Amino acid sequence: MATIRDVAQRAGVAVSTVSRFLNKNINLPEKTEQKIIRAIDELNFSPNKVARSLVSKKSEILVVVVPDISSPFFSHVVKDIEKSAHKDGFNVILCDTDNNLDKEREQINSLRNSFIAGYILVGAIDDVNDPCGDILKNMQEKGEPVVLIDRHNSDNTFPQVIHDKYLATLMATEHLIRLGHRQIGFITGDLRVYSALNALKGFKAAMANISKNESDMIVVEGGFDLDKGIRSTEMLLQKHPQVTGLVVFSELALIGAYNKLMEMGISIPQDISLIGIGETDLAKIVQPPLTTVGFDFAKTGELAYRQLKNLIVGKSMDERNITLKPEIFIRSSTRFLD
Amino acid sequence: MATIRDVAQRAGVAVSTVSRFLNKNINLPEKTEQKIIRAIDELNFSPNKVARSLVSKKSEILVVVVPDISSPFFSHVVKDIEKSAHKDGFNVILCDTDNNLDKEREQINSLRNSFIAGYILVGAIDDVNDPCGDILKNMQEKGEPVVLIDRHNSDNTFPQVIHDKYLATLMATEHLIRLGHRQIGFITGDLRVYSALNALKGFKAAMANISKNESDMIVVEGGFDLDKGIRSTEMLLQKHPQVTGLVVFSELALIGAYNKLMEMGISIPQDISLIGIGETDLAKIVQPPLTTVGFDFAKTGELAYRQLKNLIVGKSMDERNITLKPEIFIRSSTRFLD
DNA sequence: TTGTAAGCGTTATCAG
DNA sequence: CTGATAACGCTTACAA
């Protein structure tokens, strides 16, 4: 690999001149510029990022932390972040924490001496009980650019993008209520996750209109994968065979619930109306297509990146907290209860 | 941020001593070791990766290039690579090329001066016509560690992990033939992709047993997403309403085909037997569950990482080319044609 | 065993 | 406007 020294030597100028040229700091005379260009070309030189990073104390590297990249929502968000970031010349380091906050800690800490330009952290399990407070606090003190997506954000410390899961679950549940359902079950996500907790609140708020005390409400703690959806559905139906409507948090668990109902020979929506929180292709594709309350998460990644970018360049933002509102997609898995 | 200098000063030793301690190059006397540990602790010091990288001319950063991280197969592979890599202390830069080879070129080139430890490239569109030859050749010359997954690999230049899509499609087609089908349609992937091309060969090989000339074979060029699967199925059925069996390459296109058939009121497997190449949860979940010929792609990422690791540490591998064999999962979407 | 100093490839300061 | 040269934070000969 040729260095800036080699280029300078070959062009017959000083390294600083080449450096200036590279950083377009100044208008050099046509003549020297040509010499430099030629030398760079002949040597096939390109400046070393690491050396550059060492002196400038920054890099063009972003870190994106997700609980599970193989989950459709997260992989879409990451894709959009990467796409936006790439346009600005940033590269993205992906950290998959496997829903393990210790791993998250470790990963972030191991990167903290690499002049990372900024971080985007996506909601993780146990976020509610232990919002990585120590690390985040430290990052804040150090002034490191951090943006949060669907994450517990005490004291509103960091800019964030939030999907209003409270409202989404409220809407979903109210939809069933409007259709005449009274015996409505809710399969939550892992309640140590910020947005899952909010969803539960939304469910309770909606149910409060038709049910006097909370203890009557039919709630089973679920999770974010297919398997959890299957098992939770089974459990819920066993304990509460009277349900006519089912609200399921998270896309994958919804598909799990769908699968379980089909397997049990329970007809959707004849026997049970099924509605999910979160929108994916999957919900549209199964038969019958599933009614969902979802978000246009094509925007999430880009919005989060934009926030981060503003943070990095020190530009003030119009709004530090972006809350995305849900939309209901009525398909064929819910019916009027006569 | 404290530097190694600060630590040395505080501990009352030379920087080199601290460096030696950090790199465990030597056994220091208990006494000085304690002093250093204390200083490090008090200053909350951790060594700067960038500076380290500059002198060592290497880094703990891997680059993984995929055509589309939002596709289930790729996101699973990336997850496994990340997991394995993280155990060895590597971080992973994710490049999503959006199936654009120019973007791939650009991304890789922009990273070539960052002392990247190694690269894993996953099969992309146009790989067949233009296997990024210039860049890859250059990388080979420079001795940069590169591992390929499902990718055109002229002259067997790089270690690789391959899913035998030829065999998979052969098996799928033969399964339908065994069930008595003769009018079998095939929806390919994008034929500029290496493994899609192989799949087509597999289909033709199987069909050769029951069909004299190739021009009789029913083939429609498809793609890798849901939408392409839907459109290709529509087109195929329009031109060839006589088909009783359908082989679909790629997981997502399979689901698209399923969806289209359902929408058209075509019963699976009564009217048409449907079989897919590639295994995902989706195929298991829809009703009826779909027969597939798939791969245990839980292994792919880890295997590729292992190859790369060996390349990086200069360890010779048992096998440079790992070919993963498919397995048939017979479910309820194929039936005996009476 | 420990310390001194050179150097990794840049950028930035400061003379000329 | 250009050219030496000192950083940046670390590793590693080489010397003591």
Side-chain angles (χ1 to χ4, degrees), chain B residues 16-17 100-101 107 153 157 192 206-207 221 261 285 337:
Chain B
S16 48
T17 309
N100 178 340
L101 234 53
Q107 295 242 36
N153 190 7
T157 312
R192 293 166 300 170
M207 291 301 285
E221 181 154 349
L261 293 179
I285 253 60
L337 194 67

Side-chain angles (χ1 to χ4, degrees), chain A residues 8-246:
Chain A
Q9 204 157 39
R10 183 156 200 129
V13 296
V15 286
S16 45
T17 308
V18 180
S19 177
R20 278 183 202 110
F21 168 78
L22 291 171
N23 298 291
K24 314 211 173 306
N25 271 339
I26 205 156
N27 291 48
L28 311 172
E30 186 69 13
K31 203 178 78 183
T32 53
E33 194 159 293
Q34 286 309 325
K35 283 194 295 187
I36 293 176
I37 289 175
R38 218 181 118 194
I40 287 177
D41 209 52
E42 286 170 358
L43 294 167
N44 192 20
F45 164 84
S46 92
N48 184 296
K49 295 251 179 75
V50 176
R52 225 170 220 194
S53 188
L54 182 59
V55 21
S56 69
K57 290 178 183 299
K58 38 185 188 168
S59 77
E60 311 291 323
I61 298 178
L62 265 32
V63 173
V64 177
V65 184
V66 294
D68 177 15
I69 186 65
S70 69
S71 166
F73 169 69
F74 297 125
S75 66
H76 273 98
V77 169
V78 167
K79 186 182 179 81
D80 291 330
I81 294 175
E82 202 272 348
K83 187 187 283 184
S84 306
H86 180 248
K87 283 185 194 138
D88 288 341
F90 286 101
N91 285 113
V92 170
I93 288 185
L94 175 71
C95 295
D96 185 317
T97 63
D98 250 330
N99 263 315
N100 178 339
L101 234 52
D102 286 332
K103 198 174 164 194
E104 173 171 306
R105 265 197 188 72
E106 193 189 321
Q107 295 241 35
I108 293 179
N109 257 339
S110 85
L111 285 162
R112 300 239 351 247
N113 278 290
S114 306
F115 300 125
I116 295 300
Y119 301 79
I120 296 178
L121 311 186
V122 189
I125 281 182
D126 226 11
D127 183 25
V128 169
N129 299 318
D130 168 17
C132 254
D134 42 349
I135 285 207
L136 287 183
K137 198 170 179 184
N138 193 269
M139 293 177 91
Q140 188 208 359
E141 285 166 2
K142 297 255 160 56
E144 304 199 52
V146 176
V147 168
L148 267 25
I149 296 178
D150 283 343
R151 223 179 143 116
H152 185 81
N153 190 8
S154 54
D155 309 330
N156 195 16
T157 312
F158 301 105
Q160 57 184 333
V161 178
I162 296 254
H163 298 90
D164 193 338
K165 299 286 174 73
Y166 172 89
L167 181 55
T169 313
L170 185 89
M171 282 167 64
T173 312
E174 282 184 342
H175 180 64
L176 290 184
I177 293 174
R178 246 192 326 271
L179 289 174
H181 295 267
R182 289 299 173 267
Q183 298 295 329
I184 302 174
F186 181 47
I187 294 177
T188 73
D190 188 312
L191 291 177
R192 294 167 298 170
V193 174
Y194 173 74
S195 57
L197 202 59
N198 280 330
L200 179 57
K201 287 178 189 163
F203 175 74
K204 287 182 176 170
M207 291 301 285
N209 295 319
I210 58 165
S211 169
K212 282 290 155 267
N213 45 358
E214 256 195 33
S215 57
D216 287 349
M217 296 180 191
I218 302 170
V219 174
V220 170
E221 181 155 350
F224 301 109
D225 57 41
L226 240 115
D227 222 52
K228 293 250 176 55
I230 292 173
R231 288 211 303 270
S232 304
T233 305
E234 188 172 15
M235 190 186 305
L236 191 144
L237 290 180
Q238 209 167 332
K239 287 172 73 175
H240 309 280
Q242 78 277 21
V243 297
T244 63
L246 203 52

